[in-house]
Amino acid sequence: QVQLVQSGGGLVQPGGSLRLSCAASGITFSLYTMGWYRQAPGKQRELVATITSGGSTNVADSVKGRFTISRDNAKNTVYLQMNSLKPEDTAVYYCHARFSALDYWGQGTQVTVSS
């Protein structure tokens, strides 16, 4: 059974930082491209960042320079370090795993940026 278990969301003030984690089980983690997506109320889900099995990263322009994606294959975990958070970063964040035709989603975690 494949599971992507997310942790680390919450409420933070503008300018603050959070780190999201996504622990995977039931997959050969090192083979998968891992990613983070987000969905704000009334908006479509959008890509935030991805990291390939080889460690190449892609980050959305809206978060470039503020968010960093990384992975630890020994722990089967992908991270999203979010710095300089803005109110417009408020959304439900989802972890995603993709390998060939296989893809899986985490349960989602709320990130709220507000004073």
Side-chain angles (χ1 to χ4, degrees):
Q1 181 183 3
V2 177
Q3 284 191 309
L4 300 179
V5 179
Q6 300 179 216
S7 60
L11 173 64
V12 64
Q13 291 187 342
S17 297
L18 282 174
R19 187 175 81 156
L20 304 182
S21 300
C22 172
S25 60
I27 61 173
T28 306
F29 180 80
S30 61
L31 297 180
Y32 279 69
T33 291
M34 301 300 297
W36 290 96
Y37 290 73
R38 68 185 181 185
Q39 188 166 18
K43 295 188 176 182
Q44 289 188 329
R45 191 173 297 189
E46 64 175 1
L47 172 69
V48 176
T50 60
I51 183 166
T52 68
S53 58
S56 297
T57 61
N58 178 47
V59 181
D61 287 344
S62 59
V63 303
K64 198 164 290 183
R66 301 187 298 121
F67 290 13
T68 303
I69 188 170
S70 62
R71 65 190 297 160
D72 185 338
N73 288 342
K75 295 182 178 180
N76 287 0
T77 301
V78 61
Y79 305 97
L80 184 68
Q81 178 66 44
M82 305 184 291
N83 299 328
S84 302
L85 282 159
K86 304 175 180 180
E88 51 264 42
D89 295 318
T90 295
V92 177
Y93 284 70
Y94 296 91
C95 175
H96 181 251
R98 178 176 57 81
F99 174 67
S100 186
L102 302 172
D103 76 307
Y104 305 99
W105 291 93
Q107 81 275 19
T109 187
Q110 178 69 45
V111 171
T112 302
V113 185
S114 175
S115 55

